[in-house]
Amino acid sequence: MTNRKILSRRATNSPSAAASTGGLALVPPRPAGRARGLLAVLACLTAVGPLAIDMYIPGFPAMSRTLHTSSPAIQLTLTAFLAGVVVGQIVIGPVSDSLGRRGLLIGGCAGFALVALACAFAPGIGALIAARFILGFVGAAGMVLARAVITDLFHGPEVPRHFALLSQIMSVAPVIAPVVGGAILSVSTWRAVFGALCLAGVLLLVAVLVKVPESLPPERRHKGGRVGTFGAMGRLTRNRSFMGCALVLGLASAALFSYISGSSFVFERIHGASPVVYSLIFAVNAIGMLLAGALFSRLSHRVSMNALLTAAVAVCLAGTLVQVLLTMILGESFAASWICQFVVLWGIGMLLPATMTLGQNLGRAAPGAASALLGGMQFLFGAVASPVVGLFGETSSLPMSLGMLVSAALAALALIVLVRPRAVTPSGREMVMDT
């Protein structure tokens, strides 16, 4: 896919072109093989962050022994990575609106490979914590720019389908990561896990060089240097509907991370499930999220994005509320916990692509900045929620359930007050996506 073809496509999809067709952007046919190859690389770029989060977790005990440090210190390497991801997205996204996407993607992949190698050879815990922060920062490039590239190149009903694919990858990667890490640890040490991440960075670098063109030509980039670039982000923070989408996405991620951090204690310690049974439960719930994303893809060009988002938030809220009520009234129940969590994750599986699609559409004037704020909120709320569940004890499922309920309730509030899905435009029409 050459830059000339991209420029031609963008000209066809310009505001003036859309206006001449009644507000519908016409997208010329593109070779299906090239689009699939591009999307496959963007999906892998999205997956590398979650893989780097969870892949080395099975090696925590060995890391503690090797580096002669405590478990809390080892856990700080996870916190440092998440902090790096948040900061990286906030910085890289807006900068890409003025410098373009491809160069930053190449630099991000190369940097990821080099820093992962530094993690593998870290001599002590301090060096590892610092390297993990930098790894999160450069790894954020793939996540934030994949969304921006899709916003640059695709329009109409393609957009929600592609964002659904990225959301599904984000859902599956954390499930696969510990399994892959465990397999590596069965034949080598924890340092080999970072060696594998280094190899992943090299392969992604080659894939970007071959498959990902520059999606933002110079004439469409933000002018005014860094001040103008971050000014666009400032304007987005004053956009009520956009920030509502970002908050809904962040709060849904808080519910998801509460589940990820607390579900093993609920099922293994409270309900007595074996690690194998828990893995099965986790996998089934992840499959539910994938199926929800697939359903979203099919419905996205028939149902308004606002209706899909409202339904997804309602499902999440209902599932968490029922789980809390059943636990308080009837006590702990293995079946009730599993069913309710499956329902909640089904709702999240539709909510994630809906908020990404709607948020990127509302921030289309600055896709990099919009992607940065959406992704930053997602990981910031998730990072805050993860340790909170454990602070309230591990002898009841209520801390996890209440954390998920509060997150879902606040997401519903943000939807009603800020996104206002039934708001009408000056022309009297419901505010919907241009899909």
Side-chain angles (χ1 to χ4, degrees), residues 14 37 50 76 80 140-141 165 199-200 205 221 228 237 270 274 325-326 329 358 404 409 430 435:
S14 65
L76 276 178
L165 171 64
L199 177 60
L205 175 60
R221 296 175 188 174
T237 61
I270 297 173
S274 67
L325 291 177
L326 287 177
I329 296 172
L358 187 54
M404 296 174 70
E430 182 185 1
T435 59

Side-chain angles (χ1 to χ4, degrees), residues 112-178:
F112 186 88
L114 290 173
V115 180
L117 194 62
C119 290
F121 290 99
I125 187 61
L128 184 59
I129 290 173
R132 283 285 292 175
F133 176 84
I134 300 172
L135 188 68
F137 185 95
V138 294
M143 291 181 281
V144 69
L145 296 179
R147 294 188 294 266
V149 169
I150 286 178
T151 307
D152 291 337
L153 296 182
F154 298 96
H155 296 263
E158 292 177 306
V159 176
R161 288 201 297 268
H162 298 334
F163 279 130
L165 171 64
L166 297 190
S167 297
Q168 289 171 310
I169 294 297
M170 288 283 285
S171 303
V172 172
V175 179
I176 296 175

Side-chain angles (χ1 to χ4, degrees), residues 237-257:
T237 61
R238 296 190 292 273
N239 184 316
R240 181 173 180 169
S241 296
F242 174 84
M243 289 307 296
C245 286
L247 281 172
V248 172
L249 177 60
L251 290 162
S253 298
L256 178 60
F257 275 78

Side-chain angles (χ1 to χ4, degrees), residues 256 277-278 297 300:
L256 178 60
V277 171
Y278 170 69
S297 296
S300 60

Side-chain angles (χ1 to χ4, degrees), residues 349-392:
M350 295 190 68
L351 187 152
L352 296 182
T355 49
M356 284 184 186
T357 305
L358 187 54
Q360 287 289 158
N361 185 74
L362 291 169
R364 185 172 286 277
S371 179
L373 286 171
L374 291 168
M377 285 284 200
Q378 185 177 12
F379 278 89
L380 178 62
F381 277 72
V384 171
S386 292
V388 169
V389 173
L391 295 177
F392 294 95

